[in-house]
Amino acid sequence: MLYRTHPKILHGSPASYARIRCACGYRWDPAGPKRSSLYAMNNPLLETNGLPAFSAIEPVHVRPAIERVLEANRHDIRSILSRDIDGWDSLVVPIEDLQHRLNTIWSPVRHLNAVRNSEELRNVYNECLPLLTEYHTEFGQNEALFRAYLRLEESAGSTLSPAHSRAVKNTVRDFRLAGVDLSGEKKSRFKAIMQKLASLSAKFEENLLDATNAWTHHIDDAQQLRGLPEQVLELTSKNARESGQEGWLLSLDFPTYHAILTHAHDRSLRKTYYEAWMTRASDRGPMSGRFDNGGLIPEILALRHETAQLLGFDNYAQYSLATKMAGAETEVMEFLKELAEHSVPAARKEIEELETFAGQTIEAWDLAYFAERYKQQRLQLSEDQLRPYFPLPRVLSGMFDVARHLYGVEFEEDHDFDSWHPDVRLFAVRNAAGEPRGEFYVDLYARPAKRGGAWMDECVVRKALGNGTIANPVAYLVCNFMPPVGEAPALLTHAEVVTLFHEFGHTLHHLMTTVDIPSVAGVNGVPWDAVELPSQFMENYAWQPEVLPLISGHYQTGAALPEDKFEMLKASRAFHAGLHSVRQLEFGIFDFRLHSEYSPEDPPCVLDVLKEVRSNVAVVPVPEFVRFPHGFSHIFAGGYSAGYYSYKWAEVLAADAFAAFEERGLFDRRTADAFRSEILERGGACDAMEAFVSFRGRKPQIEHLLRQSGMLR
Ligand code: ZN
């Protein structure tokens, strides 16, 4: 949605492989080859039997555990290499095993750093990043291992199953992308760059979080808060009381920012908030110069370009595309341009209508506000007005019903588990035959020390345990909704319901895989421009007349969402589709051009590139003070660098996939079975385009997205 932080899936660096739930005898001896004092420490991170013991994990456990497992992995790699290792079982199985041993320990640390951040944890997390990067670079540059994989690919290529073959092929590719072919000096330079980039990205994210947390806005005049939803008023007044103040204390978390930009009648309050948000971690705005990411951006871009050139690519965009579904740079830019050709005229028309409605020029801090007023007038619909109809328990159970109808899966809540916060819940999933398929944690409310946005992350990846049994996958589904106030359950806007469906789509992709080779199971090994297909596909279900009765019901009366409101809600889906689209295209083109046009002799001024992109696709003027790139963590701290276009790319795939259900029925058995078996179950074990074609019978077409968003002219 327009002002929602973009849901993201986090599985970027090699250091973020998934965690494995060890069971049925698969047990790593944490004392390793020789017993160490760690064993006596009773380190919960080294206790790899079962789900993570979150409540017992302390920052002090992190570094010793990571050092220990890295030492053990290095030892085991040497040991594997000393044997005859040309076969799948003697090479790939033990290597996948030890990579997973590392993930077993790192995944809960990475997760806690995101959902229960503290200075101590952050410090040890940052201390470990270079250790992990060093290990992964060393692994990726291990020539003996690379040659062994190459021999396996050449000798056994035709006898391997498609999934096995894919796993080997990906690993060979990743060795090359990790610089295994480089000569001595270049190899060490590559290694040094990886280290530096990891710490720069971590610093970027850290600055942004600090800047977001450092700013609050105190208000003692109720007049300034006119228009804001009751929920926000209650929460911010509670915040003020808790800090010993009168009035209202507003923080800079996303739900508050969004509520103010959308609802506050006071234009100066909207502008104040817009400025604070859009200048986070920069040289402008109320925190000017504090936590400034300005210096990190050119450094990150230069190092990325150098990485790409070391590996023989012209630029970092080419390097990024080596692991994507999209083929060449031109294919991506032409795709974005084609979408822009449809989106920009639609957005221009929408902004003209909005200015006529508002009777004034729309500034950046007016857009959401007048869009909401206009939507209310035209559709008689307000986002917050529908909250009472979407109480969280109802939405969750209805969402599970949708998955049950589609794939025959059942969900059961598990109340007995160790957690990182009392609000967290855990659900187990069984398939139609009643067999356990996995579990997922659900952590839905915004709170201090929790990173903003919504995401799915892996806790455990499906894996064969070697004794004929399977370790089932486990996921984290994380959102940042406004917590319940008083006795009422959490009440969601429909946009939040859509976000929840999105992350649930990722979760199903992760849990329903039937591949048991971790590097290509679930979302692993799926190209980033295809990985948003199952999530964006799932969003469609939150908009269907057949589904709304399942997910809505007034939290006090139980009354279903009235039909007129439902019709308006449906009409609202395409509302300002052009404006939504140009915003995503602006980010996507900016990101791709930044990385594909980079020249070390003449490094770009990122703000100038953004300005130029905006001159082509933006329809609302952006004030000079805006420092959007300084907060663009997707590309500077996340895995979307030269890959932000992936959202739109996958949106086309998702719209086209959903069109198959529109044509044959929302819960059509054969279509749902095909989607499950060709897309969800196969994970990264096959080519993304082949998987799509197997499901749809042809390559993806852009028209379905344009039609669904009302832009087809
Ligand atoms: Zn996503």
Side-chain angles (χ1 to χ4, degrees), residues 234-376:
E234 281 181 35
L235 196 68
T236 53
S237 129
K238 186 168 143 255
N239 290 345
R241 279 197 307 279
E242 282 174 2
S243 66
Q245 299 177 73
E246 300 281 311
W248 299 266
L249 187 63
L250 285 65
S251 53
L252 197 57
D253 59 272
F254 185 77
T256 307
Y257 165 74
H258 175 70
I260 286 168
L261 266 285
T262 313
H263 301 292
H265 296 328
D266 187 327
R267 196 180 193 207
S268 70
L269 178 63
R270 294 202 306 268
K271 188 180 175 191
T272 300
Y273 248 80
Y274 177 82
E275 187 178 355
W277 182 265
M278 284 296 180
T279 55
R280 289 177 305 155
S282 82
D283 58 338
R284 294 299 171 95
M287 289 168 289
S288 167
R290 291 177 69 196
F291 323 112
D292 190 354
N293 275 335
L296 302 181
I297 293 173
E299 212 177 339
I300 290 172
L301 289 173
L303 289 173
R304 282 179 181 162
H305 186 77
E306 195 182 339
T307 307
Q309 293 225 312
L310 277 172
L311 295 174
F313 296 104
D314 290 344
N315 55 58
Y316 190 80
Q318 279 182 9
Y319 168 81
S320 158
L321 291 181
T323 52
K324 301 285 194 302
M325 182 175 174
E329 289 162 90
T330 45
E331 193 181 350
V332 174
M333 280 311 294
E334 276 165 21
F335 164 75
L336 293 171
K337 278 183 189 155
E338 187 182 351
L339 269 182
E341 276 167 24
H342 290 276
S343 307
V344 174
R348 285 216 179 97
K349 192 160 163 268
E350 287 160 8
I351 209 75
E352 274 167 26
E353 281 173 11
L354 196 61
E355 290 193 331
T356 308
F357 167 78
Q360 65 170 77
T361 306
I362 299 286
E363 301 285 358
W365 48 88
D366 299 323
L367 183 58
Y369 176 78
F370 283 112
E372 179 68 10
R373 305 280 87 69
Y374 186 44
K375 190 159 90 175
Q376 278 183 32

Side-chain angles (χ1 to χ4, degrees), residues 7-9 502-503 506 531-532 535-536 640 647:
K8 63 181 171 183
I9 182 165
H502 177 105
E503 302 308 337
H506 282 311
V531 84
E532 297 289 339
S535 52
Q536 302 191 103
Y640 284 89
Y647 279 109

Side-chain angles (χ1 to χ4, degrees), residues 1-4 6 258 343-344 346-348 350 367-368 371 375 383 495 539 543 572-587 617 619 644 648 651 709 711:
M1 314 310 288
L2 186 53
Y3 292 110
R4 186 174 89 206
H6 311 288
H258 175 70
S343 307
V344 174
R348 285 216 179 97
E350 287 160 8
L367 183 58
K375 190 159 90 175
E383 202 182 49
E539 288 183 22
W543 292 99
S572 76
R573 189 178 185 187
F575 181 76
H576 283 180
L579 283 164
H580 290 211
S581 184
V582 292
R583 188 170 163 84
Q584 287 296 80
L585 289 170
E586 176 185 317
F587 299 163
V617 296
V619 295
Y644 196 87
K648 278 285 159 202
E651 221 178 304
S709 47
M711 286 193 295

Side-chain angles (χ1 to χ4, degrees), residues 504-525:
F504 186 55
H506 282 311
T507 306
L508 290 174
H509 195 191
H510 180 60
L511 297 185
M512 295 192 61
T513 191
T514 51
V515 179
D516 51 21
I517 309 150
S519 65
V520 286
V523 296
N524 285 292

Side-chain angles (χ1 to χ4, degrees), residues 396 400 411-414 425-429 438-440 442:
L396 265 187
F400 293 166
F411 299 85
E412 192 184 339
E413 184 157 11
D414 183 347
R425 298 167 74 182
L426 180 69
F427 293 92
V429 187
E439 290 168 279
F440 60 106
V442 173

Side-chain angles (χ1 to χ4, degrees), residues 7 110 116 162 221 242 261 295 398 425 441 510 514 525 541 544 560:
R110 183 180 73 234
R116 200 180 69 196
D221 176 8
E242 282 174 2
L261 266 285
R425 298 167 74 182
Y441 296 95
H510 180 60
T514 51
Y541 282 84
Q544 303 309 312

Side-chain angles (χ1 to χ4, degrees), residues 584-656:
Q584 287 296 80
L585 289 170
E586 176 185 317
F587 299 163
I589 297 171
F590 168 63
D591 162 50
F592 207 76
R593 284 191 52 185
L594 209 52
H595 290 99
S596 62
E597 294 172 10
Y598 186 89
S599 155
E601 291 77 35
D602 184 20
C605 165
V606 287
L607 291 172
D608 286 348
V609 176
L610 185 57
K611 205 170 163 185
E612 202 188 313
V613 172
R614 280 181 171 146
S615 70
N616 292 322
V617 296
V619 295
V620 176
V622 175
E624 193 278 331
F625 63 74
V626 165
R627 291 292 179 271
F628 167 75
H630 298 62
F632 199 9
S633 58
H634 276 77
I635 71 161
F636 293 116
Y640 284 89
S641 40
Y644 196 87
Y645 78 89
S646 297
Y647 279 109
K648 278 285 159 202
W649 185 275
E651 221 178 304
V652 168
L653 303 179
D656 196 348

